[in-house]
Amino acid sequence: MGHSPGAGTPAASRVTPERWSAARAAVREAGERFAELVESAPDPAAMATADWTVAETAAHVTGIAWNNTAVFADGAKNFPIPEVRPRMMGATLDTLATEINPVQLASFTERDPVRLAALLRASVAEMLDTTADADPERVHGWLGGSRLSLAGLFAHMANELLVHGHDIARASRRPWRIPDEQVALFVDLFLVDLTRHGYGRLLDGRPVRPDRIAVRFHSRHTAPLVMVLEDGVARVEEPGADVDVHLWFRPSALNLVLFRRLGRARAALSGSLVVWGRRPWLLPAFLRKLRMP
């Protein structure tokens, strides 16, 4: 994550008391909505994604929250789903779907919606209780040898609830809100902090372009930010003059695009993504490098 000659000013932390409070509130609120959605699902066997049923999707998210109670305990608690831990260090974004996620679902066999909802509520409550007085900028080791702040981990948990809640709601033909102010935390707290502190091998295996792409992100819900890909290495900077692409986005739309729930063309036609700049054609290559699992 070195600072190359001629690079802009490295991005400062976006973790503030207000954003920390917002991340905690997002996990609490989205967690309760997700639990209600799961326990009232009309058909737990309905397909929520190409690979997972509603019950499996609920188990995936609940398992993450349950294991997070150990992550936040800083070694004072064993992983409730211990089979996941040995595989965390070697993970990349491209192997999550083929290695960690299948192992978690095979090891955590609960599929009853009511029991999953209860465990999710209990795990969220424990996450909130054990971190009530914690430093939100405390850094934890995470997937692929990456390092992420406590606030970033909460933003990731909120995002799991929001994205997979969308999947379950669509399968169940129920309404589901992805509030822009909540999902914006994925950019401000998760992506920024993960890149600032070191993303380890998470991007290993992705194509490396021998050039530089700088994208400035604009949104009513996030702080100004430039993300740079240079010779395959990502970094975040404070906004400067040397930008290739400007991207105005509605956070809920960008999130669904990154997680391949919404096509870029459809998001652009709806006005939720607007692109301009001196080299806007570079945005697809940039997004391919940073696409989420």
Side-chain angles (χ1 to χ4, degrees), residues 15-67:
V15 180
T16 63
E18 294 76 19
R19 297 304 263 167
W20 173 226
S21 178
R24 292 172 61 81
V27 169
R28 182 185 299 110
E29 192 272 342
E32 179 55 36
R33 286 199 294 125
F34 188 96
E36 291 174 355
L37 183 69
V38 169
E39 64 189 0
S40 65
D43 182 7
M47 297 305 295
T49 72
D51 302 308
W52 293 342
T53 65
V54 166
E56 288 166 339
T57 304
H60 166 74
V61 176
T62 300
I64 291 172
W66 201 18
N67 269 348

Side-chain angles (χ1 to χ4, degrees), residues 13 30 49 53 65 78 93 95 102 114-115 130 141 145 153 157 164 174 193 207 209 225 247 249 253:
S13 171
T49 72
T53 65
N78 292 328
L93 289 180
T95 63
V114 173
R115 288 196 287 269
T130 58
L153 286 165
M157 186 71 248
H164 288 301
R174 299 283 176 84
D193 262 23
R209 290 174 58 99
L225 173 71
L247 175 63
F249 65 99

